[in-house]
Amino acid sequence: MRAALAVADPTGTELALFSARFEAARFGIEQDRVLSDARRFLALRTRPEVQAAIQSALTGEETTPVDELWAWLERRDAAR
């Protein structure tokens, strides 16, 4: 996760935030939340389908509701 964050955000800001939050989190649900937030950040930065949805929303085109997109990403990540 850290390597992916370093590539997605060359400034290192997201990596520093992730590291601090992950190290402060207790095992289990708290760490799962930190990892989920990082996955969402990476999805916003790197997934072409997310970029296309953002572009469509900015131009006023009809898009898939964001809840459906997050649900799809979570199901796909859980299947890995």
Side-chain angles (χ1 to χ4, degrees), residues 1-16:
M1 184 63 66
R2 287 184 169 106
L5 288 169
V7 170
D9 181 24
T11 67
T13 303
E14 287 299 323
L15 177 57

Side-chain angles (χ1 to χ4, degrees), residues 34-48:
V34 174
L35 289 169
S36 292
D37 288 347
R39 276 194 224 97
R40 287 183 179 104
F41 170 81
L42 289 172
L44 289 172
R45 288 289 183 102
T46 62
R47 303 280 187 211

Side-chain angles (χ1 to χ4, degrees), residues 37 43 45 49 63-64 77:
D37 288 347
R45 288 289 183 102
E49 64 272 16
T63 62
T64 303
D77 288 346

Side-chain angles (χ1 to χ4, degrees), residues 36 39 47 69-80:
S36 292
R39 276 194 224 97
R47 303 280 187 211
L69 179 59
W70 287 132
W72 178 82
L73 288 170
E74 291 292 333
R75 283 192 308 273
R76 194 198 61 199
D77 288 346
R80 290 185 178 177

Side-chain angles (χ1 to χ4, degrees), residues 15-37:
L15 177 57
L17 289 171
F18 170 80
S19 293
R21 289 183 62 213
F22 191 75
E23 290 169 13
R26 295 183 180 174
F27 289 101
I29 293 173
E30 288 181 34
Q31 284 186 336
D32 288 345
R33 286 183 186 143
V34 174
L35 289 169
S36 292
D37 288 347

